Amino acid sequence: MEKQMPAGGCDVCPAHHSGNLIKLGVNMANWDFVVALAGNPNTGKSTVFNALTGLRQHTGNWPGKTVVRAEGGFAYDGHRYKLVDLPGTYSLLSTSLDEEVARDFILFGRPDVTVVVVDAARLERNLNLVLQVLEITDRAVVCLNLMDEANRQGLSVDERRLARDLGVPVVPAAARRGKGISELTRVLSDVATGRTVCRPQRIRNEPPALKKAVGKLVAQLQEEFPNVPNTRWVALRLLEGDARIVEAVCSGELGDLDRMPRQEEEVTA
Amino acid sequence: MSVPTPNQRPEKLIRLAAKLRWEVGSNFHDSLMEALYANAAQIADRAVIRTGDGARFDLDRTIDRLVTSRWLGFPIMLAILTLVFWLTIEGANVPSAMLASLLIDTLHPTLKSLAAAVGMPWWLNGLLVDGMYLAMAWVVSVMLPPMAIFFPLFTLLEDFGYLPRVAFNLDGWFKRAGAHGKQALTMSMGFGCNAAAIVSTRVIDSPRERLIAIITNNFSLCNGRWPTQILVATIFIGGLAPAHFAGLVSAGAVVGVAVLGVLLSFVVSWGLSRSVLRGEASAFSLELPPYRPPRVLQTVYTSIIDRTLIVLWRAVIFAIPAGAAIWLSSNILIGGLSLAEHFINWSQPFGLLIGLNGVILLAYVIAVPANEIVIPTILMLTVLSAKLTGLGTGAGVMFELDSDAAIAGIFASGGWNLLTAVNLMLFSLVHNPCSTTIYTIWKETRSAKWTSFASLLPVGMGFLLCFLVAQVWRLVSG
């Protein structure tokens, strides 16, 4: 966090960064950072997407509305961001097309930040996905959306405690009313630029036999692909015989993830 | 992606994984998921604080019990649909007439004389003003008002969270038909646009069930066909009822056609899953989202920008060349008769056999690019083939009309009766998808076989359905 107060007053004060958000619509040229939007179906990902980019992607109150990836841009604090709205999924494990689109993008598209939009009123179920995303990537922000709805249902969420437990920043929001969006932009830019470093919580209480097997594989993987950060997750997928990951290991695509300069990468829908 | 230097070590890794898989046992996936769920439950438990009594949640449950109830679910669904159409029909009359009087009665003669004043040759004047401009003006005045009312209403329902309840009600039926329950969602999207709905069938994992959803999506009346249904129902079906019930009766007729489409979707899904696309229906879980108070102004604004104007723009784009085609086909003469008349005369016997006529068949050929222009095309061709005088100012002119009564007059002189109207409504429901939808089917399936199947099956069914209705009708009415 910046501690000193630079000259210029309100414009540069961290509390006033909302004014810095420039919605760029579909103009995504020369982006500095890629941000992925993940989340369960019907948690308001498209609403957050629209609020950030100024686009009017059709939003609807039903699960599974976004089946293709939508992309848009915004600028904040001197950096340009490309925002990718992923299809809503309950998990990243099974093999349906929409889950694969979401998972492949988080893994192979290597977004600089993954924002997981969660429904504050259904936190437990939504956290299943958050934990799975945190297995793949360190750089994540949880957007605790639909806070207004949760309050109406007599629920509130201690976001500081949640942030501590998850090890990533948590931003409460009510995106339909535009609340929390400026805070979200600030926090995600902090993660993108490295001002905030996440230390996400990882699932640890697994059976001992599994732990041993994963340990062996991780050792081999780290030797083979020294730059891949999430070897534990890759090991688990290999144990399950995930065809897509097996292929990525065989072809060396997994290793390329880190060697390849990201700008040259073509991510096709 | 380039493959790095040949390397045996990845292979070794995969073999190691395969060996270890035996050691950890087959249920490790389950225990892993259990660990994940336990973790999530623990974290959520620590973070969530219950403050109130949760009254809102109870209200949601009460509404859900009503709208998904076994006995009330379907009647409520039909009542809501009827209300939406009734509001559309009643509300669209006045602005439609105003637009028609502005664009067609006033602007068209002005353009005509302007073109004459600058010395434009008669054929260019005809092609531009009588063909292209009039086709566009027609589409705008016929389509804009109903769409500007229907789309916001439908979007409000969607925002409120009603559509997943419709899917919930229909799920059991789809399962019995051997199709995926999510087909209820893609079918509902088809009520907006078939092409968009076919893209949305990606939410269905099984290729078999996805193909069924794609092929049967055409039975959802899309917004290009709603105006046809609404107009024909208003003139012919509404005309049968006393004036103050006319709106409600027309709305009922439109709902009837829409429901028939849903039934056909079940029947065809059932037939496909027992013949060429045999298989079991897979299970899925559908989350009923909470009811959310719709943000009315925002919804109206975005649905007008996103849906109404985009759909209208598409219709105009397709109407302009179609207008030119209509004008040309009715002004190029071969042996004293225009091309259009040749086709109409040639197809008339077949048209009459199935309770339609040659004009309607030609209109559907011209309207393959966009269903939106069917009604304007039919009206124009009817005038032409009936050789009506005093309405148009020459062959291929889409004439001036500003009321449903005037349109009814045209239909009457074209030899239309109630059977023609009913069969037109049926054929508009069951015929080939528009060219955009056909292209989308091809893009999604990458299969020429299934694309042609999905395009030709409904036309065949439409001909058969109209033929049967015509035979029964003639038998009953003597």
PDB file of all heavy atoms in Angstrom, chain A residues 244-256:
ATOM      1  N   ARG A 244      -7.094 -33.817 -20.964  1.00  0.00           N
ATOM      2  CA  ARG A 244      -6.573 -32.526 -21.411  1.00  0.00           C
ATOM      3  C   ARG A 244      -5.222 -32.228 -20.761  1.00  0.00           C
ATOM      4  O   ARG A 244      -4.305 -31.710 -21.392  1.00  0.00           O
ATOM      5  CB  ARG A 244      -7.598 -31.436 -21.060  1.00  0.00           C
ATOM      6  CG  ARG A 244      -7.203 -30.034 -21.429  1.00  0.00           C
ATOM      7  CD  ARG A 244      -7.358 -29.810 -22.927  1.00  0.00           C
ATOM      8  NE  ARG A 244      -6.982 -28.441 -23.286  1.00  0.00           N
ATOM      9  CZ  ARG A 244      -5.750 -28.098 -23.618  1.00  0.00           C
ATOM     10  NH1 ARG A 244      -4.794 -28.999 -23.623  1.00  0.00           N
ATOM     11  NH2 ARG A 244      -5.469 -26.835 -23.946  1.00  0.00           N
ATOM     12  N   ILE A 245      -5.091 -32.571 -19.481  1.00  0.00           N
ATOM     13  CA  ILE A 245      -3.854 -32.283 -18.757  1.00  0.00           C
ATOM     14  C   ILE A 245      -2.767 -33.278 -19.177  1.00  0.00           C
ATOM     15  O   ILE A 245      -1.605 -32.900 -19.349  1.00  0.00           O
ATOM     16  CB  ILE A 245      -4.096 -32.341 -17.230  1.00  0.00           C
ATOM     17  CG1 ILE A 245      -5.231 -31.387 -16.835  1.00  0.00           C
ATOM     18  CG2 ILE A 245      -2.827 -31.989 -16.468  1.00  0.00           C
ATOM     19  CD1 ILE A 245      -5.000 -29.949 -17.192  1.00  0.00           C
ATOM     20  N   VAL A 246      -3.165 -34.548 -19.378  1.00  0.00           N
ATOM     21  CA  VAL A 246      -2.201 -35.547 -19.852  1.00  0.00           C
ATOM     22  C   VAL A 246      -1.599 -35.070 -21.169  1.00  0.00           C
ATOM     23  O   VAL A 246      -0.387 -35.099 -21.376  1.00  0.00           O
ATOM     24  CB  VAL A 246      -2.897 -36.920 -20.033  1.00  0.00           C
ATOM     25  CG1 VAL A 246      -1.988 -37.876 -20.801  1.00  0.00           C
ATOM     26  CG2 VAL A 246      -3.262 -37.523 -18.685  1.00  0.00           C
ATOM     27  N   GLU A 247      -2.468 -34.558 -22.036  1.00  0.00           N
ATOM     28  CA  GLU A 247      -2.014 -34.071 -23.332  1.00  0.00           C
ATOM     29  C   GLU A 247      -1.054 -32.882 -23.169  1.00  0.00           C
ATOM     30  O   GLU A 247      -0.023 -32.805 -23.830  1.00  0.00           O
ATOM     31  CB  GLU A 247      -3.240 -33.650 -24.154  1.00  0.00           C
ATOM     32  CG  GLU A 247      -2.937 -33.220 -25.561  1.00  0.00           C
ATOM     33  CD  GLU A 247      -4.053 -32.336 -26.102  1.00  0.00           C
ATOM     34  OE1 GLU A 247      -5.239 -32.746 -25.985  1.00  0.00           O
ATOM     35  OE2 GLU A 247      -3.755 -31.258 -26.605  1.00  0.00           O
ATOM     36  N   ALA A 248      -1.402 -31.981 -22.233  1.00  0.00           N
ATOM     37  CA  ALA A 248      -0.571 -30.794 -22.025  1.00  0.00           C
ATOM     38  C   ALA A 248       0.806 -31.187 -21.494  1.00  0.00           C
ATOM     39  O   ALA A 248       1.809 -30.550 -21.820  1.00  0.00           O
ATOM     40  CB  ALA A 248      -1.259 -29.840 -21.055  1.00  0.00           C
ATOM     41  N   VAL A 249       0.871 -32.253 -20.677  1.00  0.00           N
ATOM     42  CA  VAL A 249       2.154 -32.716 -20.153  1.00  0.00           C
ATOM     43  C   VAL A 249       2.963 -33.349 -21.282  1.00  0.00           C
ATOM     44  O   VAL A 249       4.142 -33.050 -21.472  1.00  0.00           O
ATOM     45  CB  VAL A 249       1.939 -33.717 -18.994  1.00  0.00           C
ATOM     46  CG1 VAL A 249       3.253 -34.408 -18.633  1.00  0.00           C
ATOM     47  CG2 VAL A 249       1.382 -32.994 -17.782  1.00  0.00           C
ATOM     48  N   CYS A 250       2.296 -34.205 -22.069  1.00  0.00           N
ATOM     49  CA  CYS A 250       2.995 -34.920 -23.136  1.00  0.00           C
ATOM     50  C   CYS A 250       3.559 -33.974 -24.182  1.00  0.00           C
ATOM     51  O   CYS A 250       4.682 -34.132 -24.643  1.00  0.00           O
ATOM     52  CB  CYS A 250       2.058 -35.916 -23.818  1.00  0.00           C
ATOM     53  SG  CYS A 250       1.743 -37.352 -22.816  1.00  0.00           S
ATOM     54  N   SER A 251       2.761 -32.992 -24.576  1.00  0.00           N
ATOM     55  CA  SER A 251       3.188 -32.110 -25.660  1.00  0.00           C
ATOM     56  C   SER A 251       4.155 -31.043 -25.174  1.00  0.00           C
ATOM     57  O   SER A 251       4.735 -30.322 -25.973  1.00  0.00           O
ATOM     58  CB  SER A 251       1.966 -31.445 -26.288  1.00  0.00           C
ATOM     59  OG  SER A 251       1.393 -30.563 -25.361  1.00  0.00           O
ATOM     60  N   GLY A 252       4.290 -30.936 -23.856  1.00  0.00           N
ATOM     61  CA  GLY A 252       5.154 -29.894 -23.329  1.00  0.00           C
ATOM     62  C   GLY A 252       4.463 -28.552 -23.214  1.00  0.00           C
ATOM     63  O   GLY A 252       5.047 -27.566 -22.802  1.00  0.00           O
ATOM     64  N   GLU A 253       3.180 -28.527 -23.574  1.00  0.00           N
ATOM     65  CA  GLU A 253       2.415 -27.282 -23.508  1.00  0.00           C
ATOM     66  C   GLU A 253       2.430 -26.706 -22.096  1.00  0.00           C
ATOM     67  O   GLU A 253       2.459 -25.503 -21.881  1.00  0.00           O
ATOM     68  CB  GLU A 253       0.972 -27.574 -23.938  1.00  0.00           C
ATOM     69  CG  GLU A 253       0.101 -26.360 -24.099  1.00  0.00           C
ATOM     70  CD  GLU A 253      -1.347 -26.744 -24.406  1.00  0.00           C
ATOM     71  OE1 GLU A 253      -1.619 -27.929 -24.708  1.00  0.00           O
ATOM     72  OE2 GLU A 253      -2.185 -25.866 -24.334  1.00  0.00           O
ATOM     73  N   LEU A 254       2.425 -27.603 -21.122  1.00  0.00           N
ATOM     74  CA  LEU A 254       2.410 -27.190 -19.722  1.00  0.00           C
ATOM     75  C   LEU A 254       3.653 -26.378 -19.405  1.00  0.00           C
ATOM     76  O   LEU A 254       3.583 -25.358 -18.732  1.00  0.00           O
ATOM     77  CB  LEU A 254       2.329 -28.438 -18.840  1.00  0.00           C
ATOM     78  CG  LEU A 254       2.001 -28.200 -17.384  1.00  0.00           C
ATOM     79  CD1 LEU A 254       0.592 -27.679 -17.231  1.00  0.00           C
ATOM     80  CD2 LEU A 254       2.171 -29.495 -16.602  1.00  0.00           C
ATOM     81  N   GLY A 255       4.818 -26.860 -19.922  1.00  0.00           N
ATOM     82  CA  GLY A 255       6.058 -26.146 -19.669  1.00  0.00           C
ATOM     83  C   GLY A 255       6.080 -24.823 -20.402  1.00  0.00           C
ATOM     84  O   GLY A 255       6.583 -23.823 -19.894  1.00  0.00           O
ATOM     85  N   ASP A 256       5.499 -24.817 -21.596  1.00  0.00           N
ATOM     86  CA  ASP A 256       5.475 -23.591 -22.391  1.00  0.00           C
ATOM     87  C   ASP A 256       4.742 -22.469 -21.702  1.00  0.00           C
ATOM     88  O   ASP A 256       4.975 -21.311 -21.974  1.00  0.00           O
ATOM     89  CB  ASP A 256       4.792 -23.858 -23.743  1.00  0.00           C
ATOM     90  CG  ASP A 256       5.679 -24.686 -24.638  1.00  0.00           C
ATOM     91  OD1 ASP A 256       6.884 -24.726 -24.353  1.00  0.00           O
ATOM     92  OD2 ASP A 256       5.163 -25.285 -25.594  1.00  0.00           O
TER      93      ASP A 256
END
